[in-house]
Amino acid sequence: MPAWLTVVGIGEDGYAGLGRAARRALLDATLVVGGERHLAMLPTRLRVRCEPWSRPFDVAPVLAHRGAPVCVLASGDPMLFGVGATLARAVPADEMRVLPAPSSLSLAAARLGWPLQDAMALSLVGRPLAALHAHLRDGVRLLVLSSDGRTPAALAETLSARGFGATRMVVFEHLGGDRERRIDGNADGWQVAEVAALNLVALECRAAPHVRPLPLTVGLPDEVFANDGQLTKRDVRAITLARLAPSPGELLWDVGAGSGSIGIEWMRAHPSCRAIAIEAHAERQRLIEHNRDALGVPALQLVAGQAPDALEGLATPDAIFIGGGITTPGLIDTCWAHLRAGGRLVANAVTLQGDAVLTAWRERHGGSLTRIALAQAQSLGGFDTWRQALPITLLEVFKPLNADVLSATEAS
């Protein structure tokens, strides 16, 4: 089928800023769909049926016209945090064409003289402000798409509270249009409570001398996690995550999540990594919620419940970590059954009973067992000595790609 859907990027300069191809697509369309602000930019002489997006947002009305010439209006570059990306997941590539306008990120970088490839983009549209925390490092340049007119003030408050009060802030209102305005300042001296709802914030992050930057590698310091003692300690956590081996887009189940440290670090490995923390203890659930926001991964999903029952109905994971409850009857078998073929399971145990479960599992399914024994130098009188931590047994096992076939054979 030839392309029936055209996604037109439109800037603050409106219809006047559109190219010939975009105007032609609008003239030929039997239906134009877009936000009310975008539809208002079209000239009255354009005789075409216009419909605003439904609320709640849904692309189904567009898909219902498959085969007829339809135009969708979007801000700037529709494939950059835009509706074009949403439609691309529902419409085959050969049935859709995209005519982008300059994105607000490109316009802001041009105004600032920033090489766009050296700046990081963050959208807070429909996302929690806590997502900012994963990006706060001295010298980082951030281009932030605001949720509304109060976002810049909220950013300034958050930056100051995190020790980044010296951060330079530049707010751009209505980029690319006649009403474009620029507001400069520092986070700790920001005085503007509200700006235009359509705005972008450029941040040149500056940390106070006392701020200790968080590393990009796994194994964050233990003290950055609020916890009640149920925490996979730093060195063991680093080894565990190395075995879990997060890759972009993958989903982790963190079973018996405790403080949530494994799932949080999994998600910090790449912006598209996803994790579900399963935890039955109410106080630890609150700790997970605190830690995921403080460390910049508010999208971490928390499931309150006791595994294995709480695992039913969850999305199929690419990797599973069992950090607590390994001796619970049926837990490791249920996890294994839900794990996708080719996925990996890592489990840690600290008790003899837990060791026995992992050893028996390895006898049945293969994999590797590793004993982790760590010691730290601590004071003893006027001297120092080695204090041994409890040894950890780590099981790592990969599910065969033909696991479903093998299970069916065994069942018959």
Side-chain angles (χ1 to χ4, degrees):
M1 177 182 291
W4 58 272
L5 175 62
T6 303
V7 186
V8 174
I10 188 168
E12 280 295 287
D13 50 0
Y15 187 78
L18 296 180
R20 180 177 298 177
R23 294 188 182 196
R24 184 76 260 171
L26 287 166
L27 289 169
D28 292 342
T30 58
L31 174 67
V32 177
V33 179
E36 293 178 359
R37 182 174 66 87
H38 294 139
L39 294 176
M41 295 177 176
L42 300 180
T44 55
R45 68 177 183 274
L46 195 66
R47 300 297 182 183
V48 62
R49 188 171 128 219
C50 296
E51 290 184 4
W53 286 112
S54 58
R55 296 184 181 178
F57 174 81
D58 190 359
V59 299
V62 172
L63 303 180
H65 292 270
R66 184 172 183 258
V70 176
C71 263
V72 166
L73 293 177
S75 295
D77 185 347
M79 303 304 288
L80 183 68
F81 299 111
V83 72
T86 304
L87 288 166
R89 290 190 286 269
V91 179
D94 58 354
E95 295 184 24
M96 182 176 82
R97 64 173 179 157
V98 180
L99 304 175
S103 70
S104 58
L105 301 186
S106 296
L107 292 172
R111 306 290 192 269
L112 293 163
W114 289 3
L116 190 55
Q117 69 272 12
D118 295 338
M120 299 181 66
L122 173 64
S123 176
L124 295 180
V125 180
R127 297 175 174 87
L129 185 67
L132 172 73
H133 298 159
H135 303 282
L136 291 182
R137 293 176 184 84
D138 190 62
V140 166
R141 287 174 167 176
L142 279 170
L143 294 171
V144 183
L145 299 175
S146 290
S147 176
D148 55 35
R150 295 180 295 276
T151 299
L155 285 170
E157 182 179 359
T158 298
L159 288 163
S160 299
R162 299 280 298 211
F164 284 81
T167 295
R168 175 192 175 204
M169 295 179 57
V170 182
V171 174
F172 291 102
E173 299 176 329
H174 300 290
L175 265 168
D178 293 338
R179 295 181 293 165
E180 180 175 319
R181 184 169 76 125
R182 170 174 173 162
I183 309 169
D184 290 73
N186 281 1
D188 55 7
W190 194 258
Q191 299 292 324
V192 186
E194 189 166 357
V195 300
L198 186 64
N199 72 86
L200 176 147
V201 187
L203 302 175
E204 198 159 18
C205 296
R206 288 288 177 262
H210 70 274
V211 173
R212 182 180 179 185
L214 295 180
L216 295 172
T217 54
V218 297
L220 296 178
D222 292 342
E223 57 267 24
V224 305
F225 295 98
N227 68 90
D228 63 355
Q230 292 298 310
L231 172 71
T232 303
K233 297 300 192 294
R234 181 180 193 174
D235 297 307
V236 175
R237 191 181 337 118
I239 294 170
T240 300
L241 282 156
R243 300 299 184 92
L244 286 168
S247 289
E250 288 191 326
L251 173 65
L252 170 76
W253 283 3
D254 184 1
V255 182
S259 64
S261 62
I262 293 291
I264 288 169
E265 293 221 44
W266 169 280
M267 290 185 65
R268 284 173 59 91
H270 191 272
S272 66
C273 284
R274 298 166 294 137
I276 301 174
I278 299 95
E279 176 56 53
H281 194 285
E283 289 298 324
R284 291 171 191 157
Q285 293 164 15
R286 304 292 79 77
L287 292 173
I288 292 171
E289 291 173 335
H290 168 83
N291 289 331
R292 70 182 179 187
D293 286 351
L295 294 168
V297 289
L300 172 71
Q301 181 182 346
L302 173 61
V303 172
Q306 183 74 50
D309 294 342
L311 305 178
E312 293 302 320
L314 301 183
T316 301
D318 301 286
I320 296 176
F321 172 63
I322 305 175
I326 191 64
T327 58
T328 302
L331 175 58
I332 192 168
D333 294 297
T334 302
C335 287
W336 185 251
H338 283 84
L339 182 65
R340 73 160 175 85
R344 58 266 186 211
L345 183 147
V346 174
N348 290 353
V350 71
T351 65
L352 292 175
Q353 291 77 9
D355 274 6
V357 171
L358 299 187
T359 301
W361 178 264
R362 179 173 174 268
E363 290 295 319
R364 293 164 52 203
H365 296 279
S368 63
L369 286 175
T370 302
R371 176 58 62 90
I372 304 171
L374 299 169
Q376 288 188 327
Q378 296 183 5
S379 61
L380 179 65
F383 299 92
D384 294 319
T385 189
W386 291 109
R387 296 286 187 188
Q388 295 285 339
L390 292 174
I392 304 290
T393 300
L394 181 149
L395 169 71
E396 177 188 19
V397 58
F398 289 82
K399 192 170 184 178
L401 288 170
N402 61 345
D404 294 337
V405 176
L406 291 174
S407 298
T409 303
E410 291 172 358
S412 60

